[in-house]
Amino acid sequence: MEKIIHKQDVVEYPAVFTKEECLNFITYWNSLDDWMLSCFPGMYTISGQKPNEGKGKELVFQAKDKMHKLAEEVFGKELRPLTLSTHKWTPGAWAADHADNAELDGTPNAWKENKLVAIVYLNDNYEGGKLTFRDHKIGIKPTAGNVIVFGVGIDNVHAVTEIIGGDRYTMMCSFDFADSIYEEDLQSQKESVYGAQENLRKEWAEGKMMPKTTATDPTI
């Protein structure tokens, strides 16, 4: 399969899904009508635990299996699937520079098992919304149907620039290495973070937003 290697652990696969398939995914997730404000302002999410029975659910999990195989190809080892979620980024949404499993100083956080993700871009008819990698001068806006696989640790601090127009839809699978072992109770650590995230959501609902100066595009 054709691939674009942005760096060794940031790999893009073009045209994994057709535009018709992507439109079907968007229609399916919107039909669930269960979007929840996420940990990023203006970005809404639906968990993969939500899908109803039927053809839509079957197609979603077929897509999950395909992304799993691509992720294992990039990293060359067996992976353990963690979560499946779909994201809707509305105008004004953005994500600051971050690593999924660590603070920006490199300190591991409660999501240590989140080692990498595979993301399928379900549409491309929006403005802004580039996936950027601060330390590598990489900025990507894929065509609908492309899948990007990348490590989400401190070596790949990443961001999403502000959505200027239209809604940006992505479907994401996260993974851990199958042989990872943890002594800590990671779930209890996560619970302590959820309260702070809920407070942020309330502030965003009231119009209070973080400054956008940290959502950088290193390619400009």
Side-chain angles (χ1 to χ4, degrees), residues 68-88:
H68 191 162
K69 291 175 183 176
L70 292 177
E72 289 189 329
E73 177 181 305
V74 171
F75 283 81
K77 59 191 304 184
E78 184 179 354
L79 301 176
R80 177 169 62 90
L82 298 176
T83 60
L84 165 68
S85 57
T86 295
H87 304 147
K88 177 169 69 174

Side-chain angles (χ1 to χ4, degrees), residues 29 32-36 44-48 50 84-86:
W29 290 108
L32 299 183
D33 194 25
D34 197 23
W35 296 104
M36 182 182 78
Y44 295 82
T45 184
I46 293 181
S47 166
K50 297 291 186 180
L84 165 68
S85 57
T86 295

Side-chain angles (χ1 to χ4, degrees), residues 151-163:
V152 294
I154 195 63
D155 291 337
N156 279 335
V157 171
H158 53 284
V160 175
T161 61
E162 184 179 359
I163 310 300

Side-chain angles (χ1 to χ4, degrees), residues 66-115:
K66 187 176 290 189
M67 289 191 282
H68 191 162
K69 291 175 183 176
L70 292 177
E72 289 189 329
E73 177 181 305
V74 171
F75 283 81
K77 59 191 304 184
E78 184 179 354
L79 301 176
R80 177 169 62 90
L82 298 176
T83 60
L84 165 68
S85 57
T86 295
H87 304 147
K88 177 169 69 174
W89 301 73
T90 61
W94 59 285
D97 293 324
H98 67 283
D100 290 16
N101 57 31
E103 306 301 330
L104 288 179
D105 64 1
T107 304
N109 64 22
W111 281 265
K112 297 174 187 175
E113 78 271 42
N114 287 13
K115 299 295 196 310

